[in-house]
Amino acid sequence: MNEKIKILIVDDNISFCENLVEILNLEAYQAEYVDDGYKAIEAVKNNEFQLILMDIKMPMMNGIEAFREIRKIKPKIPVIMMSAFALEDLIKQGLQEGIFGILRKPFDMEKLFSTIDFAMPNGGLVLVVDDDPEICSNLVEILGKKGYQLKTAGDSKSSIQMARESKFDIMLLDLKLPFLDGLETHLAIQEIRPDLITIIITGYLREMNITVPEALEKGVYACLEKPIDIDYLVKYLEKVMRLKADH
């Protein structure tokens, strides 16, 4: 890591904050902490943080309320929420409003590091959902060379969990999946990530009795048929990212 990522930790558990600051600084991040939402707002006003790790459940001002105020000051800063509690309504609210993701305490440190690095702006963030590992691997290799950051999921359950953990720009979604089908998966993720652009890529559009107009009516941005024309897909993603940047 050439340049240290400057991170603000917000949590009313001071011993947790001190431990996390020490761990992050040893990993070549630059971390500091405050112990409530009001102090976090002031810290963001006066410093150039690149990322915030914030507890959801805090006295006086919870993490979602603090996030809303911080967004007014620094709308682009990624905020990753931390929680040891099953606060599903608050978590869902935060995801719908644009927090980058949610990590459950106690969390695996390697997962924390990878989530921090994934949250740093560096090309579009793409989630590939397909139960064919070869397709996932090919898309990761090809799109990665074009500057995109990718994660893959082989079924609906893991894709929904990944959407909770990271704020993807685009989802490339197969229709035939274990557990829920692709359209059901899209609808479940759209509930928590309304800004995520879903592009269905499938060879089974007609077989599954799903028409393109039906998919589009349910919020799917586009339907592309397999086998994938990679050059067309790359140009299409560039167009989508330009549209997102204009909004």
Side-chain angles (χ1 to χ4, degrees):
M1 215 176 293
N2 295 327
E3 186 181 334
K4 289 186 177 182
I5 296 169
K6 193 170 182 182
I7 298 171
L8 176 65
I9 300 162
V10 189
D11 198 305
D12 59 317
N13 184 333
I14 291 175
S15 62
F16 170 82
C17 289
E18 289 173 343
N19 288 338
L20 191 52
V21 164
E22 184 178 354
I23 291 166
L24 290 173
N25 287 345
L26 285 171
E27 288 292 324
Y29 299 102
Q30 184 181 342
E32 57 188 81
Y33 77 90
V34 294
D35 59 4
D36 68 53
Y38 293 104
K39 290 176 185 173
I41 294 163
E42 289 306 310
V44 170
K45 285 179 183 175
N46 298 313
N47 295 275
E48 291 299 321
F49 293 106
Q50 294 162 276
L51 182 134
I52 298 172
L53 295 171
M54 182 149 55
D55 193 30
I56 290 183
K57 191 175 182 181
M58 296 185 291
M60 299 186 289
M61 175 183 279
N62 68 41
I64 303 302
E65 292 167 334
F67 162 72
R68 289 175 184 143
E69 295 305 312
I70 288 168
R71 190 172 53 178
K72 294 174 187 175
I73 306 161
K74 298 278 176 69
K76 300 290 187 184
I77 190 168
V79 177
I80 298 169
M81 291 290 175
M82 309 177 290
S83 179
F85 302 95
L87 304 170
E88 289 306 318
D89 288 344
L90 265 183
I91 289 169
K92 186 175 178 180
Q93 259 185 312
L95 292 168
Q96 288 173 337
E97 293 182 31
I99 64 170
F100 184 84
I102 174 78
L103 292 176
R104 298 282 188 182
K105 295 177 180 175
F107 38 71
D108 175 88
M109 283 300 163
E110 288 305 317
K111 186 169 190 176
L112 173 64
F113 302 146
S114 66
T115 303
I116 289 170
D117 292 341
F118 196 64
M120 291 297 96
N122 184 26
L125 304 184
V126 179
L127 175 60
V128 179
V129 187
D130 199 305
D131 61 345
D132 184 332
E134 188 175 345
I135 287 175
C136 290
S137 177
N138 288 342
L139 287 173
V140 166
E141 182 179 356
I142 293 163
L143 296 178
K145 289 176 182 175
K146 298 293 181 180
Y148 294 94
Q149 292 179 275
L150 294 98
K151 289 189 177 182
T152 65
D155 60 64
S156 58
K157 286 182 181 177
S158 54
S159 68
I160 292 166
Q161 182 58 33
M162 285 183 180
R164 291 166 68 87
E165 293 173 356
S166 299
K167 191 174 185 289
F168 294 96
D169 296 301
I170 298 167
M171 176 167 60
L172 301 178
L173 177 66
D174 191 25
L175 274 181
K176 253 190 170 182
L177 294 170
F179 307 115
L180 303 176
D181 68 34
L183 201 51
E184 291 169 324
T185 303
H186 158 72
L187 292 172
I189 291 175
Q190 193 177 51
E191 273 286 302
I192 55 173
R193 293 291 191 186
D195 293 339
L196 177 64
I197 290 177
T198 300
I199 298 172
I200 285 176
I201 298 179
T202 184
Y204 298 101
L205 200 60
R206 295 172 186 85
E207 180 185 315
M208 297 189 71
N209 298 317
I210 296 170
T211 65
V212 172
E214 180 190 357
L216 297 178
E217 280 173 15
K218 292 183 177 178
V220 170
Y221 186 80
C223 295
L224 305 179
E225 291 207 63
K226 294 178 181 177
I228 304 163
D229 181 327
I230 291 296
D231 289 337
Y232 179 80
L233 177 62
V234 167
K235 289 175 184 174
Y236 203 88
L237 293 183
E238 288 171 357
K239 173 188 169 186
V240 170
M241 290 303 299
R242 283 197 300 271
L243 287 172
K244 281 184 74 76
D246 290 340
H247 284 76

